[in-house]
Amino acid sequence: MTTATTATTATKATTPAARLLPKARRFLRRRIRVLLLLAGWSLLESAHTFLGGYGLAKALDQGFLAGHTGVGLAWLGVTALAVVVGGLAGRGVFRGLAGLVEPLRDGLVRQVVSRSLTQAVSHPARAADSAVVSRLTNQTEIARDSFAGLVLVARSFVFTAAGAVLGLLSLAPELLLIVVPPLAAGLLLFLATLRPMAARQRAFLQADEDLSTQFGAVAEGLRDVVACGAQQRTAQRAYGVIEDEARAARQLAGWAAVRCLALGLAGQLPILLLLVTAPWLLRQGLTPGAVLGALAYLTQSLLPALHTLMNALGSAGTRLLVVLDRLTTGPGPAPEPDTAPPLTAQQPAPRNPAPPGGPRVELRDVTFAYGPAAQPVLHDLDLTVEPGERLVVVGPSGIGKSTLTALIAGLLAPGQGEIRVSGRPVRPGSGTDPSQLRVLIPQQAYVFSGTLRENLLYLCPDGAPAPALEAASDAVGLDPLVSRLGGFDAPLDPGALSQGERQLIALGRAYLSPAPLVLLDEATCHLDPAAEMRAERAFAERPGTLIVVAHRITSARRADRILVLDGTRATCGTHEELLERSPLYRDLAGSWQPDAPEHGEHLSVKSRSLS
């Protein structure tokens, strides 16, 4: 085994506690003054613990049982005064606590932001890390609250236990023989549960990040998911991640039962033993006050302190350990890709080729607005796209180009008018599978964890033969990515892909789809001009009807016809015709011809900007 391999193995075997211990020491060494202040206030606060049992015993033995009521009242008065002083000391405790907690949270936020920015600069082509939202908000607050609770509880238990043990020793050393054994056994049992609880807590936080990542990916590709009619399949993936988090939460809760057993052993059993052995203790010469004082130490001090400590260490402590490890040493491992079996060429029916002619797309008097009081984005639009035609839609940003493709795809319903594809009305939510009729690829392509083959065959319910898969990859220019990933069956990490690579996968998916109508809404905007031209040529040669929202004017030159949306009307024609008829198109094409006549056929449309 090489030295590098040995070092890597050793790093993986290191526990979170071992990794965090040096950082914790440095953090605490820089705050010695705060720790001393906190310890001083805690010592003053715990004075009432000692007097709570000792004062009660003296009030009973030297006062009330001896017939000296005044002495008994005096001891009770001293005990009550100690409680008041302890309450006042609590203000100093919280002041010292703030000096530890807030610097920790600020440091964690700086580390998370710095690491995220560094990763973004180092890998600008990668998609944004959605899990950073969970780390920056939820997990840093978990660390802050857990650390504050842990400091309070640990400090309280140490000084409370010290006061109680000192009090028991002052009353009668024999009492320690009854209290210490079950107390130690319960604490040991509890400490044995901390490691497995930390592992379950880590699993829960990983599931929380996976859920954040999954929802971020779905939100980014939501329009594509709806356009492809893949809501049910995407929801099933999301439900699986939700169930993983719920399962981790249930396993974590299961260890709470063991914590309750340890609490009963350490906190409840000493009380039972004291009550059972009370007659024997009295025969050994202990006074009733000493027995009552010992009972007060157990019920009023040790038991509450134990209960709080075990709850804090069992939940907040393990949670803090895991969260600090994740925030300071980087995010956890990437989620495993889905393990569903890949679609292969041996599956039954190959893809049905699209009809050579493709469908006719007809819009009649279509008007659409985003809300009853909003200005129409499209108004009285009449448009016909012939079977097999390649239409390119151009116009300024926000003019309604994406809205037009969403209407044709059936994602939006027009306020008035009618849209037909192959003579059938297009309505959103009609219950039919829209992916069999049309495929819409938006600007932000949706890629999911799994194999490259699964992503490409996403819209092919019957699969596709290997030659068709290879032909689609070659047509849209996907071969270099296939080679780099290691083949069609290689696992795919969406976060490791650039936006352009995501678009190539989505374009390959659309090319393989059996849908005879393809809608590309700036689906090549992240490709370089050469790659864009290759993809557009592939879809131009693919049987069927093609509608493209273009972001480069060169795309318009390759189309059969061009639709120009200019905010007041729409003009349709060839490149040469539009250079004469549309001033806006001349501006977009960079070929302004001031003497060209502005005549010709215009579509009846009044469009308004979305903004």
Side-chain angles (χ1 to χ4, degrees), residues 43-85:
L43 183 61
L44 183 60
E45 184 188 35
S46 64
H48 75 277
T49 300
F50 174 79
L51 290 173
Y54 188 82
L56 181 61
K58 294 301 180 182
L60 190 62
D61 292 335
Q62 298 178 6
F64 301 117
L65 292 180
H68 304 298
T69 305
V71 175
L73 292 175
W75 275 109
L76 292 180
V78 171
T79 303
L81 180 61
V83 174
V84 174
V85 172

Side-chain angles (χ1 to χ4, degrees), residues 223-315:
R223 183 183 176 194
D224 195 16
V225 171
V226 178
C228 297
Q231 298 96 316
Q232 183 175 359
R233 191 183 311 178
T234 305
Q236 289 174 350
R237 292 177 179 272
Y239 291 152
V241 180
I242 293 172
E243 181 56 34
D244 289 342
E245 184 177 23
R247 187 183 305 111
R250 288 192 295 268
Q251 292 175 349
L252 186 62
W255 284 95
V258 182
R259 188 171 67 229
C260 292
L261 178 62
L263 176 62
L265 182 61
Q268 303 287 351
L269 186 58
I271 298 175
L272 179 61
L273 291 177
L274 181 63
L275 294 176
V276 171
T277 59
W280 176 80
L281 291 172
L282 291 176
R283 288 195 298 269
Q284 298 302 314
L286 266 71
T287 63
V291 175
L292 184 61
L295 187 62
Y297 280 131
L298 293 177
T299 58
Q300 301 301 316
S301 299
L302 275 179
L303 180 58
L306 272 172
H307 187 277
T308 306
L309 176 70
M310 290 187 178
N311 281 333
L313 283 179
S315 56

Side-chain angles (χ1 to χ4, degrees), residues 372-465:
Q375 289 288 333
V377 179
L378 300 173
H379 184 67
D380 293 339
L381 174 60
D382 289 316
L383 174 66
T384 299
V385 183
E386 297 296 337
E389 186 177 11
R390 298 184 297 276
L391 177 75
V392 167
V393 184
V394 298
S397 177
I399 206 67
K401 304 186 296 296
S402 295
T403 301
L404 177 61
T405 58
L407 286 165
I408 296 174
L411 302 182
L412 299 174
Q416 69 178 40
E418 187 179 37
I419 303 174
R420 289 180 174 270
V421 176
S422 294
R424 291 178 292 176
V426 175
R427 297 186 183 89
S430 61
T432 60
D433 185 1
S435 64
Q436 299 299 314
L437 180 62
R438 88 290 179 278
V439 56
L440 169 63
I441 303 298
Q443 179 177 352
Q444 297 297 329
Y446 174 58
V447 178
F448 54 88
S449 297
T451 65
L452 180 59
R453 184 187 301 272
E454 289 170 346
N455 272 273
L456 291 174
L457 298 181
Y458 189 50
L459 301 179
C460 298
D462 297 325

Side-chain angles (χ1 to χ4, degrees), residues 35 85 103 110 158 176 247 265 410 418 463 534 549 595 598:
L35 291 174
V85 172
R110 283 193 296 269
V158 168
L176 296 179
R247 187 183 305 111
L265 182 61
E418 187 179 37
R534 178 172 182 168
V549 173
D595 297 330
E598 296 189 21

Side-chain angles (χ1 to χ4, degrees), residues 19-29:
R19 289 193 296 269
L20 291 172
L21 188 57
K23 300 177 182 179
R25 288 172 178 168
R26 289 194 300 270
F27 178 81
L28 295 176
R29 274 200 302 266

